PDB file of all heavy atoms in Angstrom:
ATOM      1  N   GLN A   1      -5.753  -1.872  -6.767  1.00  0.00           N
ATOM      2  CA  GLN A   1      -6.178  -1.099  -5.603  1.00  0.00           C
ATOM      3  C   GLN A   1      -6.765  -2.023  -4.553  1.00  0.00           C
ATOM      4  O   GLN A   1      -7.559  -2.911  -4.881  1.00  0.00           O
ATOM      5  CB  GLN A   1      -7.229  -0.058  -6.001  1.00  0.00           C
ATOM      6  CG  GLN A   1      -7.771   0.755  -4.844  1.00  0.00           C
ATOM      7  CD  GLN A   1      -8.689   1.871  -5.305  1.00  0.00           C
ATOM      8  OE1 GLN A   1      -8.747   2.194  -6.492  1.00  0.00           O
ATOM      9  NE2 GLN A   1      -9.395   2.482  -4.377  1.00  0.00           N
ATOM     10  N   ARG A   2      -6.360  -1.819  -3.294  1.00  0.00           N
ATOM     11  CA  ARG A   2      -6.912  -2.599  -2.189  1.00  0.00           C
ATOM     12  C   ARG A   2      -7.015  -1.702  -0.961  1.00  0.00           C
ATOM     13  O   ARG A   2      -6.139  -0.875  -0.709  1.00  0.00           O
ATOM     14  CB  ARG A   2      -6.031  -3.803  -1.854  1.00  0.00           C
ATOM     15  CG  ARG A   2      -5.913  -4.829  -2.978  1.00  0.00           C
ATOM     16  CD  ARG A   2      -5.236  -6.089  -2.497  1.00  0.00           C
ATOM     17  NE  ARG A   2      -5.013  -7.031  -3.589  1.00  0.00           N
ATOM     18  CZ  ARG A   2      -4.567  -8.267  -3.430  1.00  0.00           C
ATOM     19  NH1 ARG A   2      -4.288  -8.716  -2.219  1.00  0.00           N
ATOM     20  NH2 ARG A   2      -4.396  -9.055  -4.476  1.00  0.00           N
ATOM     21  N   SER A   3      -8.089  -1.870  -0.205  1.00  0.00           N
ATOM     22  CA  SER A   3      -8.279  -1.138   1.047  1.00  0.00           C
ATOM     23  C   SER A   3      -8.895  -2.061   2.074  1.00  0.00           C
ATOM     24  O   SER A   3      -9.763  -2.881   1.742  1.00  0.00           O
ATOM     25  CB  SER A   3      -9.191   0.077   0.836  1.00  0.00           C
ATOM     26  OG  SER A   3      -8.582   1.051   0.026  1.00  0.00           O
ATOM     27  N   GLU A   4      -8.439  -1.933   3.322  1.00  0.00           N
ATOM     28  CA  GLU A   4      -8.967  -2.748   4.400  1.00  0.00           C
ATOM     29  C   GLU A   4      -9.243  -1.861   5.603  1.00  0.00           C
ATOM     30  O   GLU A   4      -8.353  -1.132   6.043  1.00  0.00           O
ATOM     31  CB  GLU A   4      -7.965  -3.841   4.801  1.00  0.00           C
ATOM     32  CG  GLU A   4      -7.615  -4.822   3.692  1.00  0.00           C
ATOM     33  CD  GLU A   4      -6.552  -5.810   4.113  1.00  0.00           C
ATOM     34  OE1 GLU A   4      -6.189  -5.815   5.315  1.00  0.00           O
ATOM     35  OE2 GLU A   4      -6.081  -6.570   3.258  1.00  0.00           O
ATOM     36  N   PRO A   5     -10.473  -1.891   6.153  1.00  0.00           N
ATOM     37  CA  PRO A   5     -10.735  -1.140   7.385  1.00  0.00           C
ATOM     38  C   PRO A   5     -10.028  -1.801   8.559  1.00  0.00           C
ATOM     39  O   PRO A   5      -9.991  -3.031   8.666  1.00  0.00           O
ATOM     40  CB  PRO A   5     -12.253  -1.207   7.528  1.00  0.00           C
ATOM     41  CG  PRO A   5     -12.650  -2.439   6.782  1.00  0.00           C
ATOM     42  CD  PRO A   5     -11.666  -2.590   5.658  1.00  0.00           C
ATOM     43  N   MET A   6      -9.447  -1.014   9.442  1.00  0.00           N
ATOM     44  CA  MET A   6      -8.815  -1.532  10.656  1.00  0.00           C
ATOM     45  C   MET A   6      -8.553  -0.387  11.619  1.00  0.00           C
ATOM     46  O   MET A   6      -8.181   0.713  11.213  1.00  0.00           O
ATOM     47  CB  MET A   6      -7.508  -2.274  10.330  1.00  0.00           C
ATOM     48  CG  MET A   6      -6.451  -1.459   9.622  1.00  0.00           C
ATOM     49  SD  MET A   6      -4.965  -2.442   9.234  1.00  0.00           S
ATOM     50  CE  MET A   6      -5.612  -3.548   7.995  1.00  0.00           C
ATOM     51  N   GLU A   7      -8.800  -0.636  12.878  1.00  0.00           N
ATOM     52  CA  GLU A   7      -8.537   0.355  13.910  1.00  0.00           C
ATOM     53  C   GLU A   7      -7.058   0.379  14.289  1.00  0.00           C
ATOM     54  O   GLU A   7      -6.513   1.415  14.635  1.00  0.00           O
ATOM     55  CB  GLU A   7      -9.385   0.074  15.148  1.00  0.00           C
ATOM     56  CG  GLU A   7     -10.871   0.324  14.954  1.00  0.00           C
ATOM     57  CD  GLU A   7     -11.208   1.799  14.863  1.00  0.00           C
ATOM     58  OE1 GLU A   7     -10.390   2.621  15.295  1.00  0.00           O
ATOM     59  OE2 GLU A   7     -12.299   2.127  14.353  1.00  0.00           O
ATOM     60  N   ARG A   8      -6.426  -0.781  14.244  1.00  0.00           N
ATOM     61  CA  ARG A   8      -5.000  -0.884  14.553  1.00  0.00           C
ATOM     62  C   ARG A   8      -4.419  -2.041  13.753  1.00  0.00           C
ATOM     63  O   ARG A   8      -5.153  -2.810  13.146  1.00  0.00           O
ATOM     64  CB  ARG A   8      -4.763  -1.079  16.054  1.00  0.00           C
ATOM     65  CG  ARG A   8      -5.521  -2.229  16.657  1.00  0.00           C
ATOM     66  CD  ARG A   8      -5.308  -2.317  18.153  1.00  0.00           C
ATOM     67  NE  ARG A   8      -5.738  -1.123  18.836  1.00  0.00           N
ATOM     68  CZ  ARG A   8      -6.992  -0.901  19.238  1.00  0.00           C
ATOM     69  NH1 ARG A   8      -7.920  -1.833  19.025  1.00  0.00           N
ATOM     70  NH2 ARG A   8      -7.304   0.193  19.857  1.00  0.00           N
ATOM     71  N   GLY A   9      -3.102  -2.153  13.741  1.00  0.00           N
ATOM     72  CA  GLY A   9      -2.462  -3.217  12.991  1.00  0.00           C
ATOM     73  C   GLY A   9      -1.913  -2.783  11.652  1.00  0.00           C
ATOM     74  O   GLY A   9      -1.441  -3.598  10.866  1.00  0.00           O
ATOM     75  N   GLN A  10      -1.934  -1.457  11.397  1.00  0.00           N
ATOM     76  CA  GLN A  10      -1.435  -0.964  10.113  1.00  0.00           C
ATOM     77  C   GLN A  10       0.045  -1.275   9.905  1.00  0.00           C
ATOM     78  O   GLN A  10       0.482  -1.479   8.773  1.00  0.00           O
ATOM     79  CB  GLN A  10      -1.665   0.546  10.005  1.00  0.00           C
ATOM     80  CG  GLN A  10      -3.115   0.945   9.792  1.00  0.00           C
ATOM     81  CD  GLN A  10      -3.855   1.170  11.097  1.00  0.00           C
ATOM     82  OE1 GLN A  10      -3.452   0.664  12.139  1.00  0.00           O
ATOM     83  NE2 GLN A  10      -4.940   1.929  11.052  1.00  0.00           N
ATOM     84  N   ALA A  11       0.799  -1.317  10.980  1.00  0.00           N
ATOM     85  CA  ALA A  11       2.237  -1.577  10.863  1.00  0.00           C
ATOM     86  C   ALA A  11       2.501  -2.929  10.215  1.00  0.00           C
ATOM     87  O   ALA A  11       3.420  -3.080   9.405  1.00  0.00           O
ATOM     88  CB  ALA A  11       2.894  -1.515  12.245  1.00  0.00           C
ATOM     89  N   ALA A  12       1.688  -3.916  10.573  1.00  0.00           N
ATOM     90  CA  ALA A  12       1.868  -5.246  10.003  1.00  0.00           C
ATOM     91  C   ALA A  12       1.224  -5.367   8.630  1.00  0.00           C
ATOM     92  O   ALA A  12       1.662  -6.160   7.798  1.00  0.00           O
ATOM     93  CB  ALA A  12       1.281  -6.292  10.948  1.00  0.00           C
ATOM     94  N   ALA A  13       0.186  -4.579   8.371  1.00  0.00           N
ATOM     95  CA  ALA A  13      -0.589  -4.750   7.144  1.00  0.00           C
ATOM     96  C   ALA A  13      -0.038  -3.969   5.952  1.00  0.00           C
ATOM     97  O   ALA A  13      -0.235  -4.381   4.800  1.00  0.00           O
ATOM     98  CB  ALA A  13      -2.039  -4.331   7.392  1.00  0.00           C
ATOM     99  N   LEU A  14       0.631  -2.835   6.192  1.00  0.00           N
ATOM    100  CA  LEU A  14       0.940  -1.921   5.097  1.00  0.00           C
ATOM    101  C   LEU A  14       1.855  -2.516   4.034  1.00  0.00           C
ATOM    102  O   LEU A  14       1.524  -2.509   2.841  1.00  0.00           O
ATOM    103  CB  LEU A  14       1.557  -0.626   5.645  1.00  0.00           C
ATOM    104  CG  LEU A  14       1.938   0.403   4.571  1.00  0.00           C
ATOM    105  CD1 LEU A  14       0.721   0.839   3.776  1.00  0.00           C
ATOM    106  CD2 LEU A  14       2.649   1.589   5.200  1.00  0.00           C
ATOM    107  N   LEU A  15       3.016  -3.004   4.411  1.00  0.00           N
ATOM    108  CA  LEU A  15       3.964  -3.475   3.404  1.00  0.00           C
ATOM    109  C   LEU A  15       3.439  -4.674   2.614  1.00  0.00           C
ATOM    110  O   LEU A  15       3.611  -4.724   1.384  1.00  0.00           O
ATOM    111  CB  LEU A  15       5.313  -3.776   4.052  1.00  0.00           C
ATOM    112  CG  LEU A  15       6.076  -2.533   4.552  1.00  0.00           C
ATOM    113  CD1 LEU A  15       7.414  -2.932   5.158  1.00  0.00           C
ATOM    114  CD2 LEU A  15       6.275  -1.517   3.433  1.00  0.00           C
ATOM    115  N   PRO A  16       2.784  -5.674   3.257  1.00  0.00           N
ATOM    116  CA  PRO A  16       2.180  -6.741   2.446  1.00  0.00           C
ATOM    117  C   PRO A  16       1.108  -6.214   1.487  1.00  0.00           C
ATOM    118  O   PRO A  16       0.976  -6.718   0.363  1.00  0.00           O
ATOM    119  CB  PRO A  16       1.579  -7.675   3.493  1.00  0.00           C
ATOM    120  CG  PRO A  16       2.397  -7.454   4.714  1.00  0.00           C
ATOM    121  CD  PRO A  16       2.735  -5.991   4.698  1.00  0.00           C
ATOM    122  N   LEU A  17       0.362  -5.205   1.900  1.00  0.00           N
ATOM    123  CA  LEU A  17      -0.663  -4.630   1.032  1.00  0.00           C
ATOM    124  C   LEU A  17      -0.023  -3.935  -0.167  1.00  0.00           C
ATOM    125  O   LEU A  17      -0.481  -4.077  -1.309  1.00  0.00           O
ATOM    126  CB  LEU A  17      -1.511  -3.644   1.824  1.00  0.00           C
ATOM    127  CG  LEU A  17      -2.821  -3.185   1.184  1.00  0.00           C
ATOM    128  CD1 LEU A  17      -3.778  -4.361   1.027  1.00  0.00           C
ATOM    129  CD2 LEU A  17      -3.462  -2.091   2.022  1.00  0.00           C
ATOM    130  N   ILE A  18       1.056  -3.199   0.081  1.00  0.00           N
ATOM    131  CA  ILE A  18       1.782  -2.551  -1.016  1.00  0.00           C
ATOM    132  C   ILE A  18       2.345  -3.598  -1.965  1.00  0.00           C
ATOM    133  O   ILE A  18       2.247  -3.463  -3.193  1.00  0.00           O
ATOM    134  CB  ILE A  18       2.907  -1.660  -0.447  1.00  0.00           C
ATOM    135  CG1 ILE A  18       2.301  -0.424   0.226  1.00  0.00           C
ATOM    136  CG2 ILE A  18       3.881  -1.238  -1.550  1.00  0.00           C
ATOM    137  CD1 ILE A  18       3.316   0.433   0.953  1.00  0.00           C
ATOM    138  N   ALA A  19       2.937  -4.653  -1.412  1.00  0.00           N
ATOM    139  CA  ALA A  19       3.477  -5.722  -2.260  1.00  0.00           C
ATOM    140  C   ALA A  19       2.387  -6.362  -3.111  1.00  0.00           C
ATOM    141  O   ALA A  19       2.609  -6.692  -4.280  1.00  0.00           O
ATOM    142  CB  ALA A  19       4.164  -6.778  -1.388  1.00  0.00           C
ATOM    143  N   ALA A  20       1.199  -6.501  -2.536  1.00  0.00           N
ATOM    144  CA  ALA A  20       0.095  -7.131  -3.268  1.00  0.00           C
ATOM    145  C   ALA A  20      -0.360  -6.279  -4.445  1.00  0.00           C
ATOM    146  O   ALA A  20      -0.595  -6.795  -5.539  1.00  0.00           O
ATOM    147  CB  ALA A  20      -1.072  -7.394  -2.317  1.00  0.00           C
ATOM    148  N   VAL A  21      -0.492  -4.968  -4.249  1.00  0.00           N
ATOM    149  CA  VAL A  21      -0.961  -4.128  -5.364  1.00  0.00           C
ATOM    150  C   VAL A  21       0.125  -3.971  -6.430  1.00  0.00           C
ATOM    151  O   VAL A  21      -0.179  -3.892  -7.628  1.00  0.00           O
ATOM    152  CB  VAL A  21      -1.456  -2.741  -4.877  1.00  0.00           C
ATOM    153  CG1 VAL A  21      -2.699  -2.891  -4.014  1.00  0.00           C
ATOM    154  CG2 VAL A  21      -0.380  -1.952  -4.167  1.00  0.00           C
ATOM    155  N   LEU A  22       1.386  -3.961  -6.028  1.00  0.00           N
ATOM    156  CA  LEU A  22       2.463  -3.910  -7.015  1.00  0.00           C
ATOM    157  C   LEU A  22       2.470  -5.177  -7.864  1.00  0.00           C
ATOM    158  O   LEU A  22       2.619  -5.119  -9.095  1.00  0.00           O
ATOM    159  CB  LEU A  22       3.808  -3.720  -6.328  1.00  0.00           C
ATOM    160  CG  LEU A  22       4.087  -2.343  -5.718  1.00  0.00           C
ATOM    161  CD1 LEU A  22       5.391  -2.371  -4.930  1.00  0.00           C
ATOM    162  CD2 LEU A  22       4.145  -1.269  -6.797  1.00  0.00           C
ATOM    163  N   ALA A  23       2.281  -6.327  -7.207  1.00  0.00           N
ATOM    164  CA  ALA A  23       2.251  -7.593  -7.950  1.00  0.00           C
ATOM    165  C   ALA A  23       1.047  -7.649  -8.888  1.00  0.00           C
ATOM    166  O   ALA A  23       1.156  -8.085 -10.039  1.00  0.00           O
ATOM    167  CB  ALA A  23       2.216  -8.765  -6.968  1.00  0.00           C
ATOM    168  N   GLU A  24      -0.104  -7.189  -8.397  1.00  0.00           N
ATOM    169  CA  GLU A  24      -1.303  -7.200  -9.228  1.00  0.00           C
ATOM    170  C   GLU A  24      -1.148  -6.274 -10.430  1.00  0.00           C
ATOM    171  O   GLU A  24      -1.633  -6.585 -11.529  1.00  0.00           O
ATOM    172  CB  GLU A  24      -2.504  -6.771  -8.386  1.00  0.00           C
ATOM    173  CG  GLU A  24      -3.831  -6.840  -9.126  1.00  0.00           C
ATOM    174  CD  GLU A  24      -4.994  -6.438  -8.247  1.00  0.00           C
ATOM    175  OE1 GLU A  24      -4.861  -6.504  -7.007  1.00  0.00           O
ATOM    176  OE2 GLU A  24      -6.047  -6.057  -8.794  1.00  0.00           O
ATOM    177  N   ALA A  25      -0.461  -5.146 -10.240  1.00  0.00           N
ATOM    178  CA  ALA A  25      -0.251  -4.200 -11.337  1.00  0.00           C
ATOM    179  C   ALA A  25       0.883  -4.627 -12.252  1.00  0.00           C
ATOM    180  O   ALA A  25       1.069  -4.029 -13.322  1.00  0.00           O
ATOM    181  CB  ALA A  25       0.049  -2.810 -10.775  1.00  0.00           C
ATOM    182  N   GLY A  26       1.659  -5.647 -11.843  1.00  0.00           N
ATOM    183  CA  GLY A  26       2.784  -6.104 -12.653  1.00  0.00           C
ATOM    184  C   GLY A  26       3.941  -5.133 -12.655  1.00  0.00           C
ATOM    185  O   GLY A  26       4.674  -5.031 -13.652  1.00  0.00           O
ATOM    186  N   ARG A  27       4.126  -4.425 -11.523  1.00  0.00           N
ATOM    187  CA  ARG A  27       5.199  -3.445 -11.420  1.00  0.00           C
ATOM    188  C   ARG A  27       6.024  -3.708 -10.167  1.00  0.00           C
ATOM    189  O   ARG A  27       5.480  -3.765  -9.059  1.00  0.00           O
ATOM    190  CB  ARG A  27       4.632  -2.019 -11.334  1.00  0.00           C
ATOM    191  CG  ARG A  27       4.026  -1.512 -12.626  1.00  0.00           C
ATOM    192  CD  ARG A  27       5.124  -1.225 -13.649  1.00  0.00           C
ATOM    193  NE  ARG A  27       4.610  -0.537 -14.806  1.00  0.00           N
ATOM    194  CZ  ARG A  27       4.048  -1.130 -15.852  1.00  0.00           C
ATOM    195  NH1 ARG A  27       3.906  -2.458 -15.863  1.00  0.00           N
ATOM    196  NH2 ARG A  27       3.613  -0.429 -16.877  1.00  0.00           N
ATOM    197  N   PRO A  28       7.347  -3.859 -10.284  1.00  0.00           N
ATOM    198  CA  PRO A  28       8.187  -3.933  -9.092  1.00  0.00           C
ATOM    199  C   PRO A  28       8.346  -2.541  -8.490  1.00  0.00           C
ATOM    200  O   PRO A  28       8.071  -1.526  -9.149  1.00  0.00           O
ATOM    201  CB  PRO A  28       9.518  -4.447  -9.643  1.00  0.00           C
ATOM    202  CG  PRO A  28       9.553  -3.925 -11.048  1.00  0.00           C
ATOM    203  CD  PRO A  28       8.140  -3.940 -11.528  1.00  0.00           C
ATOM    204  N   ALA A  29       8.778  -2.473  -7.260  1.00  0.00           N
ATOM    205  CA  ALA A  29       8.999  -1.172  -6.629  1.00  0.00           C
ATOM    206  C   ALA A  29      10.014  -0.343  -7.407  1.00  0.00           C
ATOM    207  O   ALA A  29       9.916   0.883  -7.467  1.00  0.00           O
ATOM    208  CB  ALA A  29       9.467  -1.373  -5.185  1.00  0.00           C
ATOM    209  N   SER A  30      10.965  -1.021  -8.035  1.00  0.00           N
ATOM    210  CA  SER A  30      11.979  -0.318  -8.828  1.00  0.00           C
ATOM    211  C   SER A  30      11.400   0.295 -10.097  1.00  0.00           C
ATOM    212  O   SER A  30      12.034   1.135 -10.739  1.00  0.00           O
ATOM    213  CB  SER A  30      13.118  -1.263  -9.196  1.00  0.00           C
ATOM    214  OG  SER A  30      12.620  -2.366  -9.943  1.00  0.00           O
ATOM    215  N   GLY A  31      10.176  -0.113 -10.464  1.00  0.00           N
ATOM    216  CA  GLY A  31       9.546   0.420 -11.658  1.00  0.00           C
ATOM    217  C   GLY A  31       8.632   1.598 -11.393  1.00  0.00           C
ATOM    218  O   GLY A  31       7.979   2.102 -12.312  1.00  0.00           O
ATOM    219  N   LEU A  32       8.574   2.062 -10.133  1.00  0.00           N
ATOM    220  CA  LEU A  32       7.743   3.215  -9.794  1.00  0.00           C
ATOM    221  C   LEU A  32       8.422   4.516 -10.197  1.00  0.00           C
ATOM    222  O   LEU A  32       9.646   4.617 -10.220  1.00  0.00           O
ATOM    223  CB  LEU A  32       7.459   3.240  -8.287  1.00  0.00           C
ATOM    224  CG  LEU A  32       6.614   2.099  -7.719  1.00  0.00           C
ATOM    225  CD1 LEU A  32       6.629   2.138  -6.196  1.00  0.00           C
ATOM    226  CD2 LEU A  32       5.182   2.181  -8.249  1.00  0.00           C
ATOM    227  N   ASP A  33       7.603   5.530 -10.479  1.00  0.00           N
ATOM    228  CA  ASP A  33       8.104   6.874 -10.767  1.00  0.00           C
ATOM    229  C   ASP A  33       7.847   7.849  -9.630  1.00  0.00           C
ATOM    230  O   ASP A  33       8.511   8.892  -9.547  1.00  0.00           O
ATOM    231  CB  ASP A  33       7.440   7.424 -12.043  1.00  0.00           C
ATOM    232  CG  ASP A  33       7.777   6.591 -13.261  1.00  0.00           C
ATOM    233  OD1 ASP A  33       8.963   6.530 -13.622  1.00  0.00           O
ATOM    234  OD2 ASP A  33       6.848   5.976 -13.838  1.00  0.00           O
ATOM    235  N   LEU A  34       6.886   7.525  -8.752  1.00  0.00           N
ATOM    236  CA  LEU A  34       6.500   8.440  -7.685  1.00  0.00           C
ATOM    237  C   LEU A  34       5.758   7.661  -6.606  1.00  0.00           C
ATOM    238  O   LEU A  34       5.027   6.719  -6.903  1.00  0.00           O
ATOM    239  CB  LEU A  34       5.588   9.544  -8.241  1.00  0.00           C
ATOM    240  CG  LEU A  34       5.080  10.607  -7.269  1.00  0.00           C
ATOM    241  CD1 LEU A  34       6.222  11.520  -6.831  1.00  0.00           C
ATOM    242  CD2 LEU A  34       3.967  11.442  -7.916  1.00  0.00           C
ATOM    243  N   VAL A  35       5.968   8.073  -5.362  1.00  0.00           N
ATOM    244  CA  VAL A  35       5.231   7.529  -4.221  1.00  0.00           C
ATOM    245  C   VAL A  35       4.477   8.670  -3.557  1.00  0.00           C
ATOM    246  O   VAL A  35       5.052   9.742  -3.317  1.00  0.00           O
ATOM    247  CB  VAL A  35       6.166   6.858  -3.202  1.00  0.00           C
ATOM    248  CG1 VAL A  35       5.386   6.375  -1.983  1.00  0.00           C
ATOM    249  CG2 VAL A  35       6.916   5.693  -3.831  1.00  0.00           C
ATOM    250  N   ALA A  36       3.204   8.460  -3.253  1.00  0.00           N
ATOM    251  CA  ALA A  36       2.386   9.453  -2.556  1.00  0.00           C
ATOM    252  C   ALA A  36       1.784   8.812  -1.318  1.00  0.00           C
ATOM    253  O   ALA A  36       1.325   7.663  -1.361  1.00  0.00           O
ATOM    254  CB  ALA A  36       1.290   9.983  -3.465  1.00  0.00           C
ATOM    255  N   VAL A  37       1.765   9.541  -0.209  1.00  0.00           N
ATOM    256  CA  VAL A  37       1.280   8.994   1.051  1.00  0.00           C
ATOM    257  C   VAL A  37       0.520  10.077   1.807  1.00  0.00           C
ATOM    258  O   VAL A  37       0.837  11.263   1.712  1.00  0.00           O
ATOM    259  CB  VAL A  37       2.467   8.478   1.902  1.00  0.00           C
ATOM    260  CG1 VAL A  37       3.429   9.602   2.271  1.00  0.00           C
ATOM    261  CG2 VAL A  37       1.973   7.779   3.167  1.00  0.00           C
ATOM    262  N   THR A  38      -0.507   9.663   2.555  1.00  0.00           N
ATOM    263  CA  THR A  38      -1.200  10.611   3.408  1.00  0.00           C
ATOM    264  C   THR A  38      -0.327  10.956   4.612  1.00  0.00           C
ATOM    265  O   THR A  38       0.336  10.092   5.184  1.00  0.00           O
ATOM    266  CB  THR A  38      -2.543  10.051   3.910  1.00  0.00           C
ATOM    267  OG1 THR A  38      -2.340   8.739   4.439  1.00  0.00           O
ATOM    268  CG2 THR A  38      -3.560   9.984   2.784  1.00  0.00           C
ATOM    269  N   VAL A  39      -0.352  12.242   4.996  1.00  0.00           N
ATOM    270  CA  VAL A  39       0.510  12.721   6.078  1.00  0.00           C
ATOM    271  C   VAL A  39      -0.281  13.230   7.274  1.00  0.00           C
ATOM    272  O   VAL A  39       0.261  13.825   8.181  1.00  0.00           O
ATOM    273  CB  VAL A  39       1.463  13.818   5.573  1.00  0.00           C
ATOM    274  CG1 VAL A  39       2.425  13.272   4.536  1.00  0.00           C
ATOM    275  CG2 VAL A  39       0.689  15.019   5.009  1.00  0.00           C
ATOM    276  N   GLY A  40      -1.592  12.992   7.286  1.00  0.00           N
ATOM    277  CA  GLY A  40      -2.388  13.372   8.427  1.00  0.00           C
ATOM    278  C   GLY A  40      -3.248  14.602   8.176  1.00  0.00           C
ATOM    279  O   GLY A  40      -3.266  15.126   7.061  1.00  0.00           O
ATOM    280  N   PRO A  41      -3.942  14.991   9.231  1.00  0.00           N
ATOM    281  CA  PRO A  41      -3.861  14.442  10.591  1.00  0.00           C
ATOM    282  C   PRO A  41      -4.464  13.043  10.686  1.00  0.00           C
ATOM    283  O   PRO A  41      -5.253  12.644   9.844  1.00  0.00           O
ATOM    284  CB  PRO A  41      -4.636  15.458  11.433  1.00  0.00           C
ATOM    285  CG  PRO A  41      -5.597  16.081  10.478  1.00  0.00           C
ATOM    286  CD  PRO A  41      -4.907  16.116   9.157  1.00  0.00           C
TER     287      PRO A  41
END
């Protein structure tokens, strides 16, 4: 699990952050069973 406060810049930060937690968990994206994301507001 990782979280970073930021007002902007999420577009550049999100995918590297996802890659980092997948690597730390020892799971490739192909090994996932479900993806959950916040949808707002």
Side-chain angles (χ1 to χ4, degrees):
Q1 178 174 347
R2 297 190 185 187
S3 293
E4 299 176 7
M6 59 182 68
E7 290 288 341
R8 53 183 60 86
Q10 287 90 338
L14 179 61
L15 291 181
L17 194 64
I18 289 173
V21 294
L22 288 173
E24 184 179 338
R27 289 288 190 275
S30 59
L32 294 170
D33 297 297
L34 180 70
V35 177
V37 62
T38 49
V39 296

